Amino acid sequence: MNQLEEMQTLVRVVEAGSITRAAEQMNTVKSAVSKRLSELEKRLGVSLLKRTTRKQTLTDAGRDYYQHCVRILDDINEVETAISESQSAVSGRIRVAAPISFGLMHLNQAIRQFNQANPDIIFDIDFNDRQQDLVAEGIDLAIRVSNLADSSLIARKLSTTRLLLCGSPDYFARNGKPQTAEDLFYGHVKLHYSHVSPSWQLKNHRGERLSVNLPTVMTANNGQFLMDAAIEGKGLILSPDFICAGAIRSGELLPVLDDCLLNNDIGVYAVYPHTRFLSQRVRLLIEFLRDYFAQRPDWQCPK
């Protein structure tokens, strides 16, 4: 049996849920499927499935191999479809990684619209603020909100977000509303997003750079959680406008010192590895996202 047939067998077994059902779908006998899997595991030198009398589960190695098999088979199907000139419907799987807050607040609607127009595309979405290794984790496309430094990735800019220093009306009533960057040193505290530097970069009243590291009263790895704490008056936050724009419009948060903040414009990018073949379905998704976010800068507050 060749490698492609081995991949197809494993994928069918995993998606069917059992070797018995996979054999029925493949119009063969259970012993033949079991033999194919055993030969595949022997050739690879690893165990792919944990088998019991009641169920089977993928091992860690099996999960990785299965994900690679799915992408390879999807790509082969797409190439064959393109050659046969029957591209009326794009199909296959796209594995996307996105930051939690941006993904839930803004990407979800975009994905649903794209999927409505391309219903044969299957999405596997990982909402995670951790910056994943796209190649190692088999991710086709990632959304990153940052000033990119990873030269191993190809980036397509989708939009821009702006960092805003905010507090609630109640917080400013108790602690005073800062008029200069230096005022932050007198009685103010911060809510800290754990994935960024604890120091804020501002300019003082003379236009000189000032690094501000306020006492931290709360640290979290989610911007929406910190925004809710800021609305309750717990402290100041330095938040991207895609998170806090709604609270600013409603008056729950007030931005301060906007003219003093340095390096507060950050790009929103779609990125993918140099080593990854960019399939037609991923290209279509990137172009859709560029158009979508160009038309909907709904998180941007007026300067």
Side-chain angles (χ1 to χ4, degrees):
M1 175 174 289
N2 63 37
Q3 290 176 309
L4 182 59
E5 290 174 328
E6 290 175 339
M7 290 179 181
Q8 291 170 330
T9 298
L10 177 66
V11 170
R12 184 64 63 90
V13 168
V14 172
E15 296 184 350
S18 73
I19 292 176
T20 300
R21 284 197 290 271
E24 292 172 353
Q25 294 173 9
M26 297 169 68
N27 196 28
T28 187
V29 295
K30 179 181 175 181
S31 58
V33 176
S34 296
K35 182 179 179 181
R36 292 175 188 175
L37 287 176
S38 297
E39 290 174 350
L40 173 60
E41 290 176 322
K42 182 177 179 181
R43 183 174 65 79
L44 294 175
V46 296
S47 176
L48 300 174
L49 289 169
K50 297 176 183 177
R51 304 171 181 82
T52 67
T53 55
R54 293 187 176 183
K55 65 177 183 178
Q56 61 185 32
T57 57
L58 286 167
T59 63
D60 290 342
R63 189 177 301 106
D64 289 342
Y65 187 73
Y66 165 74
Q67 290 173 350
H68 285 298
C69 288
V70 168
R71 291 199 311 279
I72 290 169
L73 293 173
D74 282 345
D75 288 342
I76 291 172
N77 179 66
E78 185 170 331
V79 169
E80 290 181 347
T81 299
I83 291 174
S84 65
E85 298 182 348
S86 56
Q87 301 182 64
S88 57
V90 181
S91 64
R93 188 181 303 265
I94 303 178
R95 186 151 195 246
V96 179
I100 297 171
S101 294
F102 186 85
L104 296 179
M105 297 176 73
H106 303 287
L107 185 65
N108 59 355
Q109 182 64 31
I111 292 293
R112 287 200 297 269
Q113 285 191 22
F114 180 82
N115 208 200
Q116 187 174 7
N118 301 277
D120 292 328
I121 288 182
I122 301 170
F123 279 97
D124 179 355
I125 304 175
D126 183 359
F127 291 121
N128 199 318
D129 286 339
R130 175 178 60 86
Q131 196 164 97
Q132 297 102 317
D133 183 327
L134 305 191
V135 175
E137 299 185 40
I139 294 169
D140 298 299
L141 187 72
I143 305 300
R144 294 213 171 149
V145 183
S146 65
N147 295 315
L148 295 178
D150 190 343
S151 61
S152 69
L153 301 175
I154 299 174
R156 301 285 297 276
K157 191 170 185 178
L158 304 177
S159 189
T160 301
T161 187
R162 188 159 55 100
L163 295 176
L164 299 172
L165 185 58
C166 307
S168 70
D170 177 63
Y171 174 86
F172 290 129
R174 288 184 284 107
N175 298 279
K177 193 172 182 180
Q179 303 301 313
T180 68
E182 292 92 330
D183 292 341
L184 293 172
F185 293 113
Y186 300 97
H188 289 282
V189 295
K190 76 171 184 287
L191 306 166
H192 177 56
Y193 180 60
S194 56
H195 290 287
V196 301
S197 168
S199 297
W200 298 340
Q201 303 304 311
L202 299 95
K203 56 184 178 182
N204 62 20
H205 69 283
R206 293 187 296 272
E208 301 165 335
R209 179 182 289 270
L210 183 67
S211 183
V212 178
N213 189 351
L214 299 180
T216 300
V217 295
M218 186 181 295
T219 298
N221 65 349
N222 182 263
Q224 288 173 284
F225 176 86
L226 293 175
M227 180 189 70
D228 290 340
I231 290 172
E232 293 178 358
K234 302 299 185 184
L236 296 173
I237 55 167
L238 186 63
S239 172
D241 54 6
F242 72 77
I243 291 178
C244 65
I248 290 173
R249 293 192 186 104
S250 69
E252 295 174 290
L253 290 176
L254 303 175
V256 294
L257 303 179
D258 189 57
D259 292 338
C260 298
L261 287 170
L262 299 175
N263 306 318
N264 62 330
D265 287 328
I266 298 177
V268 179
Y269 297 92
V271 301
Y272 58 93
H274 282 285
T275 56
R276 179 79 177 104
F277 165 71
L278 195 62
S279 63
Q280 182 191 12
R281 57 187 178 274
V282 177
R283 291 181 191 275
L284 286 175
L285 176 60
I286 292 173
E287 294 306 318
F288 176 86
L289 293 176
R290 288 186 66 186
D291 293 341
Y292 180 88
F293 288 115
Q295 298 170 14
R296 300 185 72 253
D298 54 359
W299 63 74
Q300 294 178 358
C301 294
K303 292 188 179 181

